[in-house]
Amino acid sequence: MSGPCRAPSRRRGRAGAAAAVLLVPVLLAGCSGSKDVQVSVKGALGARPQVTFPKKTSPEKDLAVKTLAGGKGPAARKGDLVVADYVGYRWNKSGSKMLASTYLAGKPQAFSTGTLVPGLDKALDGAKAGARIVARIPPKEAYGDEGDSSHQVEAGDSLVYVLDVRAVYAKTAAARGARSAPTAPGLPQVGSPDAGTAPPVTIPKAAPPKTLRTSVLIKGTGAAVRTDQLVALQYTGVFWRNGRTFDSSWRTGRPAAVTIGDGQVIQGWVKGLVGQAVGSRVLLVVPPSMGYGAKGLAQAGIKGTDTLVFVVDILGAH
């Protein structure tokens, strides 16, 4: 998620359940008739897997994907958000090296399908919550002959992922819960949107409030959002001064994910979303002091005097 709800000083790159024990080696079925390559994966679903690479064997040149545990619920499709724990490796003729592990970091990763390297997009297509997926991704479906130094991937490296899928959020996902009373007079009014579209926001013809204002429009029934959780959400942001939309996950056609409280998002989001129940729709009226301050955010058209109005649907928290 790269929109203006992020804090102005930090940016993050992108990658990347029920207990079950998986103790058998995994045979990755090669695509297009290629020879199978055996990678051993052991460990409990939801815990860091033990991945063993074959000795003195180079990775095959075709994509190979294996689902160890099938999961339940809707299957991920292009534009959906997949939240998963994962471990990722690079693999070449010289051996393998672990590049990343959310199990060690203690927090899952959000994958926005349709924006990843092609092989990972294909591996997550059809994924369901509770699934464990193993993918061997050749260079032609990863970072090619150039590699990517920012991800420690060298030229010609294959990638191997083991992913434990926590949740799948469809691109049409929205708040779910009981509708609350209309917002107080003097605050923006939020209409009922069509499925998959942003709620319409009407700005009153009045001066904006000078302090953060929060209103729960739909009361969810899930757990309360905590600081430092990865939160999946839909959102739209409009200017108080003219009602124009400056950023929206509904407009981009895919849900977003942010970590609340580690500097990723503006303070108005931290103060307004922590403690809210998952499934809620929340109206936030954010004064400049809790948004982008006197400098604003020029690339988004945000002035130093702008009060920002957000409607946020909290889809999940991990």
Side-chain angles (χ1 to χ4, degrees):
M1 178 181 177
S2 59
C5 64
R6 282 193 180 278
S9 60
R10 297 182 63 183
R11 280 194 167 191
R12 295 293 178 92
R14 63 177 192 216
V21 179
L22 304 168
L23 298 177
V24 296
V26 180
L27 189 63
L28 296 184
C31 300
S32 303
S34 66
K35 185 178 179 181
D36 292 337
V37 178
Q38 191 177 49
V39 177
S40 175
V41 178
K42 299 180 180 180
L45 185 65
R48 180 185 172 187
Q50 302 169 27
V51 184
T52 304
F53 290 78
K55 295 181 179 179
K56 299 180 180 180
T57 302
S58 296
E60 291 288 337
K61 296 181 180 180
D62 294 310
L63 176 68
V65 179
K66 179 70 175 180
T67 300
L68 302 184
K72 298 180 180 179
R77 293 292 180 256
K78 184 177 180 180
D80 292 351
L81 186 76
V82 176
V83 175
D85 290 296
Y86 81 100
V87 61
Y89 298 82
R90 74 181 189 206
W91 186 18
N92 55 41
K93 62 183 180 181
S94 300
S96 61
K97 179 183 179 180
M98 188 176 74
L99 301 179
S101 172
T102 63
Y103 305 95
L104 296 178
K107 188 178 299 178
Q109 172 77 34
F111 297 88
S112 186
T113 57
T115 67
L116 310 169
V117 296
L120 187 53
D121 266 333
K122 293 176 182 178
L124 290 175
D125 185 51
K128 298 180 180 180
R132 170 167 280 186
I133 299 167
V134 186
R136 186 200 65 231
I137 302 173
K140 64 184 179 182
E141 304 221 47
Y143 294 101
D145 294 331
E146 296 182 359
D148 186 335
S149 59
S150 67
H151 290 88
Q152 303 179 59
V153 179
E154 298 178 354
D157 280 350
S158 291
L159 304 177
V160 172
Y161 286 89
V162 181
L163 304 109
D164 288 343
V165 179
R166 291 198 186 193
V168 174
Y169 300 100
K171 59 184 178 181
T172 57
R176 56 197 183 278
R179 292 191 174 276
S180 300
T183 55
L187 292 182
Q189 299 300 305
V190 180
S192 298
D194 296 330
T197 63
V201 179
T202 302
I203 305 296
K205 295 180 179 180
K210 295 182 179 180
T211 58
L212 176 70
R213 299 292 299 273
T214 302
S215 181
V216 177
L217 308 176
I218 295 176
K219 179 66 174 177
T221 58
V225 172
R226 303 193 308 273
T227 302
D228 292 332
Q229 283 188 309
L230 179 72
V231 179
L233 47 83
Q234 297 271 30
Y235 71 98
T236 193
V238 305
F239 294 116
W240 183 287
R241 57 181 157 92
N242 59 13
R244 183 175 64 83
T245 299
F246 59 84
D247 193 20
S248 174
S249 65
W250 279 286
R251 187 167 62 185
T252 62
R254 59 186 73 250
V258 296
T259 298
I260 300 292
D262 73 342
Q264 280 197 28
V265 296
I266 58 177
Q267 280 300 301
W269 275 44
V270 177
K271 297 293 185 182
L273 296 181
V274 170
Q276 303 290 357
V278 170
S280 297
R281 172 169 292 165
V282 183
L283 171 69
L284 302 174
V285 181
V286 181
S289 61
M290 300 195 74
Y292 292 91
K295 291 184 178 180
L297 189 65
Q299 60 264 42
I302 298 174
K303 301 177 181 180
T305 56
D306 270 331
T307 292
L308 307 177
V309 179
F310 293 96
V311 179
V312 183
D313 283 12
I314 304 172
L315 307 179
H318 304 271

mmCIF file of all heavy atoms in Angstrom, residues 288-316:
data_model
loop_
_atom_site.group_PDB
_atom_site.id
_atom_site.type_symbol
_atom_site.label_atom_id
_atom_site.label_comp_id
_atom_site.label_asym_id
_atom_site.label_seq_id
_atom_site.Cartn_x
_atom_site.Cartn_y
_atom_site.Cartn_z
ATOM 1 N N PRO A 288 -4.413 18.471 10.144
ATOM 2 C CA PRO A 288 -3.032 18.437 9.648
ATOM 3 C C PRO A 288 -2.023 17.959 10.683
ATOM 4 O O PRO A 288 -1.061 17.263 10.343
ATOM 5 C CB PRO A 288 -2.768 19.889 9.239
ATOM 6 C CG PRO A 288 -4.120 20.451 8.926
ATOM 7 C CD PRO A 288 -5.067 19.775 9.878
ATOM 8 N N SER A 289 -2.226 18.316 11.930
ATOM 9 C CA SER A 289 -1.265 17.954 12.972
ATOM 10 C C SER A 289 -1.165 16.451 13.183
ATOM 11 O O SER A 289 -0.155 15.965 13.709
ATOM 12 C CB SER A 289 -1.652 18.623 14.297
ATOM 13 O OG SER A 289 -2.941 18.179 14.723
ATOM 14 N N MET A 290 -2.180 15.689 12.777
ATOM 15 C CA MET A 290 -2.142 14.234 12.915
ATOM 16 C C MET A 290 -2.068 13.553 11.562
ATOM 17 O O MET A 290 -2.238 12.336 11.459
ATOM 18 C CB MET A 290 -3.349 13.734 13.706
ATOM 19 C CG MET A 290 -3.430 14.309 15.096
ATOM 20 S SD MET A 290 -4.575 13.433 16.176
ATOM 21 C CE MET A 290 -3.644 11.942 16.496
ATOM 22 N N GLY A 291 -1.817 14.387 10.535
ATOM 23 C CA GLY A 291 -1.654 13.846 9.193
ATOM 24 C C GLY A 291 -0.252 14.101 8.696
ATOM 25 O O GLY A 291 0.697 13.442 9.105
ATOM 26 N N TYR A 292 -0.086 15.131 7.849
ATOM 27 C CA TYR A 292 1.208 15.429 7.255
ATOM 28 C C TYR A 292 1.775 16.773 7.685
ATOM 29 O O TYR A 292 2.769 17.230 7.123
ATOM 30 C CB TYR A 292 1.103 15.341 5.726
ATOM 31 C CG TYR A 292 0.876 13.916 5.302
ATOM 32 C CD1 TYR A 292 -0.408 13.414 5.142
ATOM 33 C CD2 TYR A 292 1.940 13.050 5.127
ATOM 34 C CE1 TYR A 292 -0.623 12.098 4.803
ATOM 35 C CE2 TYR A 292 1.749 11.730 4.785
ATOM 36 C CZ TYR A 292 0.460 11.250 4.621
ATOM 37 O OH TYR A 292 0.260 9.935 4.306
ATOM 38 N N GLY A 293 1.145 17.385 8.684
ATOM 39 C CA GLY A 293 1.684 18.610 9.245
ATOM 40 C C GLY A 293 1.766 19.752 8.249
ATOM 41 O O GLY A 293 1.125 19.745 7.199
ATOM 42 N N ALA A 294 2.593 20.716 8.567
ATOM 43 C CA ALA A 294 2.684 21.941 7.767
ATOM 44 C C ALA A 294 3.291 21.704 6.386
ATOM 45 O O ALA A 294 3.075 22.496 5.469
ATOM 46 C CB ALA A 294 3.507 22.982 8.525
ATOM 47 N N LYS A 295 4.047 20.596 6.230
ATOM 48 C CA LYS A 295 4.679 20.321 4.933
ATOM 49 C C LYS A 295 3.705 19.682 3.944
ATOM 50 O O LYS A 295 3.899 19.778 2.734
ATOM 51 C CB LYS A 295 5.882 19.412 5.125
ATOM 52 C CG LYS A 295 7.050 20.079 5.847
ATOM 53 C CD LYS A 295 8.247 19.156 5.914
ATOM 54 C CE LYS A 295 9.428 19.832 6.583
ATOM 55 N NZ LYS A 295 10.614 18.937 6.652
ATOM 56 N N GLY A 296 2.681 19.005 4.449
ATOM 57 C CA GLY A 296 1.776 18.307 3.552
ATOM 58 C C GLY A 296 2.465 17.148 2.855
ATOM 59 O O GLY A 296 3.493 16.633 3.312
ATOM 60 N N LEU A 297 1.912 16.734 1.723
ATOM 61 C CA LEU A 297 2.480 15.650 0.913
ATOM 62 C C LEU A 297 2.216 16.008 -0.543
ATOM 63 O O LEU A 297 1.161 15.708 -1.092
ATOM 64 C CB LEU A 297 1.848 14.311 1.275
ATOM 65 C CG LEU A 297 2.490 13.076 0.655
ATOM 66 C CD1 LEU A 297 3.917 12.868 1.171
ATOM 67 C CD2 LEU A 297 1.643 11.837 0.929
ATOM 68 N N ALA A 298 3.197 16.674 -1.144
ATOM 69 C CA ALA A 298 3.000 17.271 -2.465
ATOM 70 C C ALA A 298 2.616 16.257 -3.528
ATOM 71 O O ALA A 298 1.767 16.525 -4.383
ATOM 72 C CB ALA A 298 4.271 18.014 -2.884
ATOM 73 N N GLN A 299 3.224 15.043 -3.487
ATOM 74 C CA GLN A 299 2.945 14.065 -4.541
ATOM 75 C C GLN A 299 1.511 13.567 -4.533
ATOM 76 O O GLN A 299 1.026 13.028 -5.530
ATOM 77 C CB GLN A 299 3.900 12.876 -4.461
ATOM 78 C CG GLN A 299 3.858 12.090 -3.164
ATOM 79 C CD GLN A 299 4.927 12.518 -2.187
ATOM 80 O OE1 GLN A 299 5.168 13.719 -2.030
ATOM 81 N NE2 GLN A 299 5.558 11.547 -1.550
ATOM 82 N N ALA A 300 0.811 13.759 -3.423
ATOM 83 C CA ALA A 300 -0.592 13.380 -3.348
ATOM 84 C C ALA A 300 -1.508 14.598 -3.406
ATOM 85 O O ALA A 300 -2.732 14.457 -3.293
ATOM 86 C CB ALA A 300 -0.861 12.603 -2.060
ATOM 87 N N GLY A 301 -0.923 15.785 -3.564
ATOM 88 C CA GLY A 301 -1.724 17.006 -3.610
ATOM 89 C C GLY A 301 -2.195 17.472 -2.254
ATOM 90 O O GLY A 301 -3.109 18.306 -2.160
ATOM 91 N N ILE A 302 -1.582 16.954 -1.178
ATOM 92 C CA ILE A 302 -2.011 17.309 0.180
ATOM 93 C C ILE A 302 -1.249 18.546 0.644
ATOM 94 O O ILE A 302 -0.016 18.563 0.689
ATOM 95 C CB ILE A 302 -1.772 16.134 1.152
ATOM 96 C CG1 ILE A 302 -2.602 14.921 0.728
ATOM 97 C CG2 ILE A 302 -2.107 16.540 2.588
ATOM 98 C CD1 ILE A 302 -2.327 13.675 1.543
ATOM 99 N N LYS A 303 -1.994 19.588 0.997
ATOM 100 C CA LYS A 303 -1.396 20.831 1.480
ATOM 101 C C LYS A 303 -1.168 20.757 2.990
ATOM 102 O O LYS A 303 -1.762 19.923 3.689
ATOM 103 C CB LYS A 303 -2.317 22.004 1.157
ATOM 104 C CG LYS A 303 -2.602 22.182 -0.331
ATOM 105 C CD LYS A 303 -3.576 23.335 -0.544
ATOM 106 C CE LYS A 303 -3.894 23.523 -2.021
ATOM 107 N NZ LYS A 303 -4.854 24.642 -2.241
ATOM 108 N N GLY A 304 -0.347 21.671 3.471
ATOM 109 C CA GLY A 304 -0.069 21.701 4.900
ATOM 110 C C GLY A 304 -1.260 22.092 5.747
ATOM 111 O O GLY A 304 -1.255 21.888 6.964
ATOM 112 N N THR A 305 -2.286 22.651 5.104
ATOM 113 C CA THR A 305 -3.491 23.059 5.832
ATOM 114 C C THR A 305 -4.648 22.072 5.660
ATOM 115 O O THR A 305 -5.738 22.317 6.182
ATOM 116 C CB THR A 305 -3.949 24.435 5.341
ATOM 117 O OG1 THR A 305 -4.140 24.381 3.914
ATOM 118 C CG2 THR A 305 -2.910 25.499 5.673
ATOM 119 N N ASP A 306 -4.422 20.979 4.961
ATOM 120 C CA ASP A 306 -5.516 20.064 4.629
ATOM 121 C C ASP A 306 -5.948 19.193 5.800
ATOM 122 O O ASP A 306 -5.124 18.523 6.444
ATOM 123 C CB ASP A 306 -5.120 19.145 3.469
ATOM 124 C CG ASP A 306 -5.466 19.737 2.124
ATOM 125 O OD1 ASP A 306 -6.437 20.505 2.050
ATOM 126 O OD2 ASP A 306 -4.765 19.417 1.139
ATOM 127 N N THR A 307 -7.248 19.200 6.046
ATOM 128 C CA THR A 307 -7.878 18.193 6.883
ATOM 129 C C THR A 307 -8.287 17.042 5.962
ATOM 130 O O THR A 307 -8.880 17.269 4.901
ATOM 131 C CB THR A 307 -9.100 18.758 7.611
ATOM 132 O OG1 THR A 307 -8.654 19.726 8.576
ATOM 133 C CG2 THR A 307 -9.885 17.673 8.328
ATOM 134 N N LEU A 308 -7.969 15.820 6.364
ATOM 135 C CA LEU A 308 -8.213 14.643 5.538
ATOM 136 C C LEU A 308 -9.344 13.817 6.126
ATOM 137 O O LEU A 308 -9.432 13.645 7.352
ATOM 138 C CB LEU A 308 -6.941 13.794 5.452
ATOM 139 C CG LEU A 308 -5.685 14.540 4.999
ATOM 140 C CD1 LEU A 308 -4.484 13.602 5.020
ATOM 141 C CD2 LEU A 308 -5.880 15.160 3.629
ATOM 142 N N VAL A 309 -10.185 13.309 5.262
ATOM 143 C CA VAL A 309 -11.325 12.497 5.685
ATOM 144 C C VAL A 309 -11.152 11.097 5.112
ATOM 145 O O VAL A 309 -10.984 10.923 3.897
ATOM 146 C CB VAL A 309 -12.651 13.100 5.197
ATOM 147 C CG1 VAL A 309 -13.834 12.215 5.617
ATOM 148 C CG2 VAL A 309 -12.821 14.513 5.745
ATOM 149 N N PHE A 310 -11.158 10.084 5.989
ATOM 150 C CA PHE A 310 -10.998 8.704 5.567
ATOM 151 C C PHE A 310 -12.216 7.883 6.001
ATOM 152 O O PHE A 310 -12.765 8.094 7.090
ATOM 153 C CB PHE A 310 -9.767 8.057 6.215
ATOM 154 C CG PHE A 310 -8.462 8.636 5.763
ATOM 155 C CD1 PHE A 310 -7.830 9.623 6.511
ATOM 156 C CD2 PHE A 310 -7.836 8.194 4.605
ATOM 157 C CE1 PHE A 310 -6.613 10.147 6.117
ATOM 158 C CE2 PHE A 310 -6.621 8.712 4.191
ATOM 159 C CZ PHE A 310 -6.012 9.693 4.949
ATOM 160 N N VAL A 311 -12.592 6.954 5.149
ATOM 161 C CA VAL A 311 -13.506 5.892 5.525
ATOM 162 C C VAL A 311 -12.710 4.596 5.418
ATOM 163 O O VAL A 311 -12.175 4.283 4.345
ATOM 164 C CB VAL A 311 -14.759 5.835 4.637
ATOM 165 C CG1 VAL A 311 -15.667 4.678 5.068
ATOM 166 C CG2 VAL A 311 -15.519 7.155 4.712
ATOM 167 N N VAL A 312 -12.595 3.867 6.512
ATOM 168 C CA VAL A 312 -11.758 2.675 6.580
ATOM 169 C C VAL A 312 -12.587 1.474 6.986
ATOM 170 O O VAL A 312 -13.277 1.490 8.004
ATOM 171 C CB VAL A 312 -10.607 2.870 7.592
ATOM 172 C CG1 VAL A 312 -9.701 1.644 7.595
ATOM 173 C CG2 VAL A 312 -9.803 4.130 7.266
ATOM 174 N N ASP A 313 -12.539 0.420 6.172
ATOM 175 C CA ASP A 313 -13.142 -0.873 6.505
ATOM 176 C C ASP A 313 -12.045 -1.784 7.038
ATOM 177 O O ASP A 313 -11.072 -2.086 6.324
ATOM 178 C CB ASP A 313 -13.783 -1.507 5.286
ATOM 179 C CG ASP A 313 -15.114 -0.888 4.915
ATOM 180 O OD1 ASP A 313 -15.439 0.182 5.470
ATOM 181 O OD2 ASP A 313 -15.827 -1.461 4.067
ATOM 182 N N ILE A 314 -12.175 -2.243 8.276
ATOM 183 C CA ILE A 314 -11.169 -3.115 8.889
ATOM 184 C C ILE A 314 -11.550 -4.556 8.586
ATOM 185 O O ILE A 314 -12.509 -5.115 9.133
ATOM 186 C CB ILE A 314 -11.112 -2.878 10.414
ATOM 187 C CG1 ILE A 314 -10.839 -1.401 10.710
ATOM 188 C CG2 ILE A 314 -10.021 -3.756 11.032
ATOM 189 C CD1 ILE A 314 -10.953 -1.046 12.186
ATOM 190 N N LEU A 315 -10.797 -5.189 7.689
ATOM 191 C CA LEU A 315 -11.127 -6.531 7.234
ATOM 192 C C LEU A 315 -10.556 -7.614 8.144
ATOM 193 O O LEU A 315 -11.155 -8.688 8.306
ATOM 194 C CB LEU A 315 -10.604 -6.725 5.815
ATOM 195 C CG LEU A 315 -11.026 -5.678 4.771
ATOM 196 C CD1 LEU A 315 -10.403 -5.995 3.425
ATOM 197 C CD2 LEU A 315 -12.543 -5.601 4.660
ATOM 198 N N GLY A 316 -9.398 -7.377 8.684
ATOM 199 C CA GLY A 316 -8.761 -8.376 9.544
ATOM 200 C C GLY A 316 -7.537 -7.799 10.216
ATOM 201 O O GLY A 316 -7.001 -6.756 9.786
#
